[in-house]
């Protein structure tokens, strides 16, 4: 199983609530994937920063915040990995509470929000788009195309199950880190293709 061979590390620093594995490097491009939870203690809100040039997870927030506070935190993550006028592409799952996060980011003036095919900011995850998103992420992990550096993401990879054709977290487990990482990978691949 290639998932068990994915390197994950505890050697990171913190900037507030954000775990930093590698700081921003000038000349490199970054994307941020964000999975939004309600903020009341069940699922986690996760923001994941990935370096497009290295296909590597470089920063992560995983916790319980209100959607507005999560929007502010994502803005700060983007600021940490921006250089000059170049801010990371930020792809937020807009389902449910994602709308409130996107409104906060709009209020803050986040300059580089990912737009879906309907020309609206944020990723609309549906019964059709979710399997494609997860299949792309799983293939990248299995083919050793990406480097995961946070244990929470790796742990979630090891607890994904196929539930009658639907890939999801095993009972009592989470897939928030995986969704955030898969969104970042989607934005990264689209940016690379341009």
């Amino acid at each position: 199983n290639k998932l068990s061979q994915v390197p994950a590390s505890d050697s990171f620093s913190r900037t507030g609530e954000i775990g930093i594995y590698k700081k921003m490097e000038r000349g490199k491009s970054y994307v941020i994937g964000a999975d939004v939870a309600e903020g009341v203690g069940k699922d986690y809100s996760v923001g994941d920063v990935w370096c497009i040039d290295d296909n590597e997870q470089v920063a992560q927030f995983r916790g319980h915040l209100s959607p507005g506070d999560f929007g502010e935190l994502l803005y700060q993550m983007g600021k940490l990995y921006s250089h000059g006028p170049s801010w990371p592409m930020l792809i937020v799952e807009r389902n449910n509470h994602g709308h409130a996060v996107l409104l906060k980011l709009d209020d803050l003036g986040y300059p580089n929000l990912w737009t879906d095919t309907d020309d609206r900011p944020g990723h609309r995850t549906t019964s059709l788009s979710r399997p494609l998103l997860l299949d792309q992420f799983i293939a990248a992990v299995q083919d050793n195309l990406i480097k995961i550096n946070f244990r929470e993401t790796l742990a979630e990879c090891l607890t994904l199950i196929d539930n009658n054709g639907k890939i999801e977290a095993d009972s009592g487990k989470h897939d928030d880190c995986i969704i955030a990482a898969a969104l970042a990978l989607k934005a990264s691949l689209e940016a690379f293709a341009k």
Side-chain angles (χ1 to χ4, degrees), residues 23-31 50-55 80-88 192:
K23 293 181 179 178
M24 186 273 296
E25 294 179 51
R26 290 203 177 279
K28 292 193 175 180
S29 298
Y30 298 90
V31 295
W50 286 73
C51 176
I52 294 174
D53 305 85
D54 301 331
N55 297 319
L80 281 173
Y81 285 88
S82 67
H83 41 92
S86 179
W87 281 59
F192 185 74

Side-chain angles (χ1 to χ4, degrees), residues 21-167:
Y21 186 78
K22 286 188 175 177
K23 293 181 179 178
M24 186 273 296
E25 294 179 51
R26 290 203 177 279
K28 292 193 175 180
S29 298
Y30 298 90
V31 295
I32 303 172
D35 184 38
V36 182
E38 187 177 358
V40 295
K42 293 180 182 177
D43 287 332
Y44 292 91
S45 287
V46 177
D48 236 16
V49 183
W50 286 73
C51 176
I52 294 174
D53 305 85
D54 301 331
N55 297 319
E56 181 174 15
Q57 183 184 39
V58 295
Q60 184 178 80
F61 166 81
R62 178 180 180 262
H64 302 290
L65 292 175
S66 70
D69 289 344
F70 187 45
E72 288 182 23
L73 183 128
L74 290 170
Y75 184 90
Q76 292 305 315
M77 288 181 100
K79 193 172 182 179
L80 281 173
Y81 285 88
S82 67
H83 41 92
S86 179
W87 281 59
M89 172 69 70
L90 173 54
I91 179 171
V92 177
E93 184 180 46
R94 76 172 183 228
N95 301 36
N96 304 316
H97 304 286
H99 290 286
V101 172
L102 288 162
L103 282 173
K104 183 61 160 183
L105 288 163
D106 185 54
D107 286 347
L108 294 169
Y110 194 92
N112 196 9
L113 287 173
W114 186 88
T115 303
D116 211 333
T117 54
D118 60 3
D119 294 327
R120 293 173 53 205
H123 184 271
R124 185 168 171 263
T125 304
T126 66
S127 58
L128 296 175
S129 65
R130 188 177 195 275
L132 296 172
L133 192 68
L134 290 173
D135 286 349
Q136 189 174 56
F137 177 75
I138 291 167
V141 171
Q142 290 175 336
D143 294 341
N144 293 318
L145 299 177
I146 60 175
K147 183 177 180 188
I148 297 171
N149 289 318
F150 287 85
R151 292 189 185 280
E152 293 81 4
T153 306
L154 177 58
E156 288 186 10
C157 288
L158 297 172
T159 60
L160 276 184
I161 61 166
D162 184 336
N163 185 4
N164 295 320
K166 182 181 180 187
I167 303 297

